Amino acid sequence: DVQKKTTKIILTVDGEFHAPNWTPDGKFIFSDMGGELYRIPVSGGKAGKPEKIDISQKMMATNDHALSWDGKLIAITGIVRMPTGQVRSAADIHNPLYIMNMDGSNAHEIHLGWLHGWSPDGKFVVYAQYNKDNFDIYRVNVDGGGELLMTTNKAQDDGPEFSGDGKWVYFNSMRSGNWDGWRMPPDGAGPDDKLAERIT
């Protein structure tokens, strides 16, 4: 509770839950553990009891997942292993970006990339992807079309998230020599990333 400056333990379990996402109504947290995605009630008789999401695709859930701002859809980067089931190198990992209903149904691949966030209007998702020996920021329509390369700096960029008003995309970057917070307009940083602003 930010106002009261208090905390409450919802769940204690052996293992590692990652990247919790609140549902807009505040009733559930979505989180991943062991390659599976879970919905965790935060109050009531089932508080703290994880409910596994039955995803309609064979994939390992990663910590790159986010709920749409209206709480109707989930976007997630999954890992699809090679037919042998062994991951030997980065080349063995296929990282499709899926969009699905909140119950895991209708999971369909729209692109490749390490997902981070949705635009508030639900039209786009932003993600990081390998480009010319480093990671840059991309945006794509939720139907998989209209891919936009948003940054081109030779330094690593990661973690893009839209602001609540949709006017900025915030991200992490090594372009200053350290990991710092940056922001850019929702249509990208422009030629030579001149529209990118360092904020930390």
Side-chain angles (χ1 to χ4, degrees), residues 63-200:
N63 62 353
D64 295 307
H65 46 78
L67 309 185
S68 60
W69 291 66
D70 62 8
K72 294 180 178 179
L73 298 170
I74 304 171
I76 184 171
T77 294
I79 293 179
V80 178
R81 294 183 182 273
M82 296 292 283
T84 61
Q86 300 294 319
V87 175
R88 298 177 296 276
S89 69
D92 296 332
I93 297 176
H94 181 60
N95 58 325
L97 197 164
Y98 295 100
I99 290 182
M100 63 185 126
N101 297 328
M102 293 290 280
D103 63 359
S105 64
N106 193 33
H108 55 284
E109 181 179 340
I110 65 164
H111 218 280
L112 296 177
W114 300 104
L115 173 90
H116 281 275
W118 289 80
S119 61
D121 60 11
K123 293 181 179 179
F124 308 104
V125 290
V126 284
Y127 57 97
Q129 183 60 295
Y130 202 61
N131 174 46
K132 297 179 181 178
D133 298 326
N134 76 306
F135 279 90
D136 279 309
I137 307 299
Y138 289 81
R139 186 189 79 185
V140 69
N141 301 343
V142 294
D143 64 3
E147 181 185 51
L148 173 68
L149 175 62
M150 301 182 77
T151 62
T152 57
N153 191 280
K154 293 181 180 180
Q156 301 286 346
D157 295 325
D158 195 14
E161 296 282 355
F162 275 89
S163 59
D165 58 11
K167 294 181 179 180
W168 298 99
V169 172
Y170 287 81
F171 63 101
N172 306 316
S173 181
M174 281 288 290
R175 61 187 65 199
S176 64
N178 298 299
W179 281 111
D180 277 301
W182 290 70
R183 71 178 186 178
M184 61 183 159
D187 291 326
D192 299 320
D193 283 14
K194 290 181 179 178
L195 299 178
E197 301 177 8
R198 181 179 174 185
I199 59 171
T200 65

Side-chain angles (χ1 to χ4, degrees), residues 9-61:
I9 295 175
I10 297 171
L11 172 66
T12 300
V13 66
D14 289 334
E16 294 183 9
F17 272 98
H18 303 128
N21 306 127
W22 282 102
T23 55
D25 61 12
K27 294 181 179 179
F28 299 93
I29 289 174
F30 279 71
S31 187
D32 68 281
M33 178 179 177
E36 304 287 353
L37 188 63
Y38 294 88
R39 185 176 75 162
I40 305 167
V42 296
S43 61
K46 293 186 177 180
K49 297 180 181 177
E51 305 166 357
K52 182 180 173 183
I53 303 297
D54 186 16
I55 301 174
S56 61
Q57 283 280 1
K58 291 184 177 180
M59 55 167 272
M60 288 182 59

